[in-house]
Amino acid sequence: MRSNGFDLPLHPLQCLTWALFPVVLADFYWLLLPLLNPVARWVVGAVYTAAAAATFFCAWITAAVDPRDPHVRPRGDRRRASDDDDDDDAAAA
């Protein structure tokens, strides 16, 4: 069981996202930002930089946290979810 989003194996869409994010940033800074006038370039560039930094920080935190609820299953319990479902069915009968 994975304990966070950085544990291997990584999902292909996760790899694609981390690979394309710098490409999108470079695309904006090298292609779109130079088209603006100098004053707008600084304002728009600062806002975009803040938004990109916040996006990266939030994505990192989201991938780094342990999604398991500590009250539902103990941390050392390595049982699969299907094993838990079997226990619930047996208890109900």
Side-chain angles (χ1 to χ4, degrees):
M1 177 183 285
R2 297 173 61 165
S3 64
N4 62 36
F6 293 122
D7 285 349
L8 298 177
L10 297 175
H11 192 276
L13 291 177
Q14 181 183 11
C15 296
L16 182 68
T17 300
W18 288 108
L20 286 181
F21 188 66
V23 172
V24 171
L25 290 177
D27 201 23
F28 175 78
Y29 288 117
W30 290 331
L31 295 176
L32 298 176
L33 201 59
L35 298 175
L36 301 174
N37 65 42
V39 175
R41 187 178 305 155
W42 283 103
V43 173
V44 173
V47 170
Y48 190 79
T49 300
T55 300
F56 181 82
F57 178 74
C58 290
W60 189 276
I61 295 298
T62 302
V65 298
D66 186 0
R68 297 177 292 177
D69 186 356
H71 302 291
V72 174
R73 182 179 301 151
R75 197 177 221 359
D77 191 1
R78 295 274 185 198
R79 293 184 298 166
R80 295 185 324 231
S82 61
D83 294 341
D84 292 341
D85 294 338
D86 294 340
D87 293 343
D88 292 340
D89 293 339

